[in-house]
Amino acid sequence: MPKEFELILGVDQTGAVLGKGLRAKPLPVVLAVKEKEKWKIITHKQRKLLFLERFEPDTIARLLDSHGFSGSLNNLACMVDCVFGLPSLTDPQIKRGSTYLWDLFYEASKFSFSKKEYGREVAEKFFSQFLPKRCNKLPTRFCEEVSGSNSVFQVRPYQKNIQTGTFRIWKEIGGLKKPWARVWPFDSAGTAEEKEGPWLFEGYPSLIWREVLKSKIRNPLLLKRLSQKTGLKLAVDNFKALETAPDHADAFVLALGAISLLAKNELWEPWPLFFKEPRRLQEGWILGLKPTKDI
């Protein structure tokens, strides 16, 4: 049976740097906790919004422990505003499954450029090595074409750049030099050989705003009213805090998207024929995305 979760972490990306590119700014996060038939959503602690210093298991465990949830990370799902996968065009012989993805994480973890570990310049140099030598347009994944989301190779305009934030998360995931999580849909739920650790899902906040909240714009001021319209049983500690924090609002929306998909039994399998989609094991997939009828 598909796995259920007791904890969901919504993670918004940021590629902003500190210390002249040697460190990255903390990631905005929101924590959702299952309490019987209701989800309690935690946005802050001691009047401060939640952040994650690094995307790695020990740091995640400390965050959970600070809220009284110690122990294994197996019951945690992380909805991350991050690309997990590369277009098949970048490598016609690209492997299937999560092994190649972890190889990419390891490569990112040891990559630096111009004495910097993080930042736009470093990320662009890292991803440029995967671009085909002869390519008339930037490579995109099938799920990006369906969703209208941006390619990890698109660097301009800067406000649409997801490359820098993705590199940061890959770098930190790969820091342990061994797999410590499971990545949907590359890994399968409920299998005998299932690995330990939390589950990672690729999230696209704009898609959740559009499909779950039924909003064409990402306006944090609308979150409370739109969330109430979903019919989901939620207990949010402070909607007001999200109204002036758009990054945390997106982290909230990612967690909300997972809750909605769980309620509809569509988290693992967005549509009935999903597991027959060949590109999901090569390029990955986006949380909750369904193909349009004309594709």
Side-chain angles (χ1 to χ4, degrees):
M1 292 294 292
K3 185 174 176 61
E4 295 291 330
F5 295 105
E6 297 175 5
L7 301 167
I8 294 174
L9 191 67
V11 184
D12 190 50
Q13 69 164 260
T14 178
V17 300
L18 298 168
K20 296 182 179 180
L22 296 179
R23 294 182 294 125
K25 285 188 176 181
L27 295 160
V29 299
V30 164
L31 179 64
V33 183
K34 184 71 178 295
E35 293 186 344
K36 295 182 179 180
E37 299 302 315
K38 182 179 291 187
W39 283 91
K40 177 183 177 183
I41 300 184
I42 304 169
T43 65
H44 67 284
K45 183 178 177 64
Q46 297 177 343
R47 298 183 180 182
K48 293 183 179 180
L49 289 164
L50 301 186
F51 286 92
L52 195 66
E53 290 293 330
R54 292 176 58 85
F55 199 81
E56 58 186 11
D58 287 348
T59 308
I60 295 171
R62 284 196 295 271
L63 174 71
L64 299 184
D65 188 58
S66 71
H67 290 276
F69 306 106
S70 58
S72 171
L73 298 180
N74 290 349
N75 292 322
L76 172 69
C78 299
M79 308 298 152
V80 192
D81 180 15
C82 170
V83 171
F84 289 134
L86 291 179
S88 55
L89 183 61
T90 62
D91 182 1
Q93 305 301 318
I94 199 167
K95 300 173 186 177
R96 295 168 65 89
S98 63
T99 300
Y100 98 94
L101 196 58
W102 282 97
D103 289 341
L104 293 172
F105 296 160
Y106 304 149
E107 284 190 49
S109 71
K110 60 187 179 183
F111 190 88
S112 62
F113 179 70
S114 191
K115 298 183 179 180
K116 296 177 182 178
E117 297 291 330
Y118 296 93
R120 189 173 65 234
E121 186 182 17
V122 185
E124 188 168 352
K125 192 71 174 178
F126 173 78
F127 281 105
S128 67
Q129 65 186 316
F130 302 109
L131 283 170
K133 292 182 178 179
R134 294 182 179 180
C135 188
N136 295 326
K137 63 177 183 178
L138 291 179
T140 59
R141 299 180 298 161
F142 177 62
C143 59
E144 292 162 353
E145 295 170 10
V146 176
S147 64
S149 56
N150 298 312
S151 167
V152 76
F153 294 105
Q154 181 178 339
V155 295
R156 295 174 181 80
Y158 292 134
Q159 62 268 28
K160 290 189 176 183
N161 179 321
I162 59 171
Q163 184 185 87
T164 310
T166 290
F167 171 76
R168 176 260 176 85
I169 290 173
W170 284 19
K171 186 178 185 72
E172 293 176 352
I173 289 177
L176 289 185
K177 303 297 187 292
K178 64 179 181 179
W180 55 267
R182 295 158 285 183
V183 187
W184 176 89
F186 298 97
D187 294 306
S188 300
T191 58
E193 66 274 13
E194 190 174 35
K195 298 189 288 288
E196 293 290 307
W199 277 90
L200 311 183
F201 290 75
E202 175 178 341
Y204 177 35
S206 293
L207 180 70
I208 306 301
W209 277 96
R210 185 169 69 239
E211 299 298 326
V212 177
L213 295 174
K214 308 301 180 185
S215 176
K216 294 181 180 180
I217 58 173
R218 294 160 63 181
N219 185 348
L221 295 174
L222 303 176
L223 265 186
K224 183 174 183 178
R225 179 170 60 84
L226 294 176
S227 298
Q228 291 171 340
K229 282 187 174 183
T230 63
L232 297 170
K233 295 180 180 179
L234 309 172
V236 183
D237 63 357
N238 192 346
F239 267 115
K240 205 71 179 174
L242 300 175
E243 291 181 357
T244 55
D247 295 337
H248 280 83
D250 277 347
F252 170 87
V253 165
L254 289 172
L256 181 72
I259 293 170
S260 174
L261 291 166
L262 278 171
K264 295 185 292 185
N265 294 317
E266 294 179 352
L267 180 68
W268 299 100
E269 191 175 3
W271 77 92
L273 298 178
F274 174 68
F275 290 114
K276 293 184 178 181
E277 167 51 56
R279 285 156 290 204
R280 68 181 178 87
L281 292 176
Q282 293 177 306
E283 300 184 335
W285 201 256
I286 296 171
L287 175 74
L289 177 65
K290 299 178 182 180
T292 54
K293 294 180 180 179
D294 57 343
I295 290 182

